[in-house]
Amino acid sequence: MSKSKPIKKSSQSQKPSPPKKRVGAKLGASHQPNPIPDTQDKPYGLVPLTTQGIDRQIPVGQDKFKHDRFSGKLHLALTVQTASFVASGVVAMGRDVDLKADLIKTAVHQKNQLIIPGSSLKGVVRSTYEALTRSCLCKTKAKRDEIPKGHGECKIQKDKIEVCPACRVFGAMGWQGLVAFPDAVGQKVSTSVGFMPSLYRPRTENPMYQNDGKVSGRKFYYHAVKAVNAGEQRGIPVQQAGQAYVFKTALQFKNLTEAELGTLLVILGQDSDYPMALKVGGGKPIGMGSMVVTVEALEKPGNLKSRYTHYVLPDSDHLTDEPLKRFMQTAIVAAHQTLIEEYQLKELARILAWPTQRPAPEGMY
Amino acid sequence: MSTEIAPLELTEVQWQVAEAIARKLVIERTDVNELRKTLSYLREYVDRENAGKAFFDYLKTLVRRGDQIGHSKKTVEYYKSLDSICSEYLKDYQDKAPQILMILGWATRLVKYYDKGVPTGEIQPITVMSEREAAIQAVTQANTFEVGQEIEATVAAIKKSKVTYEILGTIRLTQKEPKLASKLTEGQTVSVYIADLKNDGSIKRIKGI
Ligand SMILES: [Zn+2]
């Protein structure tokens, strides 16, 4: 895969849209899985569901450290590329958060340092992980009868504990996952007010569904060069993280296989063949919330005894720079070999490609 | 002030206030979700200094700029209603933000009850007395007063020839005392006698001795 490919593709989509074709009519004979409708006039694209079936297996517990698996912490820095806003649900007076505005929708914050709740981040990473692997459809708004046969949410049964790849890593009802996302904390006080146009309610017409009324894919919003900013007259003032604002967090993991860790790294944009950014928080349709992840270090207690008997980790267990890159590369290769569905990855990487030349969406407000 | 610990339960008067607010909200068909949003605001900032005053400012700001964040013209009408209802019933609690939070919290629950349980037409507004009025009523009911009766009072304020006495820790009465005023000091304990009673037996006038 060349790096420029996703960018080229997305810039093509700026041409005037051709008349709409009947969904899937032309591609009917193709062997590609679930041909999906053209969404170039939409701010999102769809990653088709896997046709391989859900790969349910017995998950590994996190009660014991397994020696053939990976445990540790990924130290991440998320750098904001387009204005980002994770709503706290509270509308305050501007003066309450030291910002110039009469009223402002506040972001999740502590003492004006913005925060991305761990749960939000986990949600973003999980839905991407689901799309790339043979995972169930569980975090979906679709109704039960709209979910294609066999794709339903994994259930933990007493006699049969078998779950999909995403449920193994992120957990399922009654089953604790192997990763934990603490809150990502802003590295300085935010002084930025943005204006978010009031978004239209999503229209009911939704290309997510096939002719038979079943869900055909997972929806991901495109990145844009910059977010639409409606200006004070028409927008809702929001306490936002402006461009270059940095959040930091340490993703904790326990008993992951190399491929599982590698898949997480691909999602975090660490695969140079598929450069991607995350999309976090509100205003996704208008280009908000793009964040590029840097993996700053990886802590991996190679020898568990030394982990608990030494205060400072040996260097070999704290990877940065070249050794970190090599480690990540190997894990990513393992992910491609055994876990990632390449067709789905191609589609996802096209939608989430970063950097992008896609302009801010128009006509959305 | 703002460091005051939130009360565990409402006083009788506060119950009435919550009740009165709830009834008004239902009568004016104010969206209880908008009240909930203002409650989340108060909850977030309740520990700050002057949180109560800021809350009233907040309601005014919502009326003024609510169109900016609201979804319809109606939203601003809801804010107007919230602002006037809170001004009417909660001004006494302006320095007690935790109590405002409690009262409004209960009002929200009562609105739900009225909304589901009682036809709107049957709900009448009620008038509530202030904490002060209630305290005075309690003191009056607990004591029998007679004209000429001598009681102890604290000099609460002196303004030129006018002296404000406070009796039984609650009732304040102001009286012209041209001869006494210059001799008294604020905070001093003195004796007074009851000069006149109201029809209900409460004190109308006292005079310094
Ligand atoms: Zn699952």
Side-chain angles (χ1 to χ4, degrees), chain A residues 162-182:
Chain A
E162 283 187 349
V163 293
C164 74
C167 288
R168 292 202 284 278
V169 170
F170 297 89
M173 279 283 241
W175 187 264
Q176 209 181 357
L178 302 175
V179 289
F181 288 78

Side-chain angles (χ1 to χ4, degrees), chain A residues 213-244:
Chain A
K214 304 281 187 202
V215 173
S216 65
R218 291 177 167 89
K219 186 168 157 182
F220 292 89
Y221 284 96
Y222 290 111
H223 292 294
V225 183
K226 72 192 259 298
V228 168
N229 191 332
E232 193 159 1
Q233 294 312 308
R234 295 164 74 191
I236 302 163
V238 296
Q239 181 184 22
Q240 72 178 16
Q243 205 195 8

Side-chain angles (χ1 to χ4, degrees), chain A residues 12-21 38-42 358:
Chain A
Q12 275 170 5
S13 65
Q14 294 158 29
K15 287 179 195 160
S17 345
K20 276 197 190 157
K21 280 172 267 178
D38 189 359
T39 61
Q40 24 185 316
D41 58 334
K42 301 258 186 303
R358 224 181 149 81

Side-chain angles (χ1 to χ4, degrees), chain A residues 41 43 197-200 203 228 234 285-286 360-365:
Chain A
D41 58 334
S198 14
L199 301 178
Y200 281 135
R203 272 159 292 183
V228 168
R234 295 164 74 191
I286 54 157
E362 281 171 47
M364 285 306 299
Y365 52 96

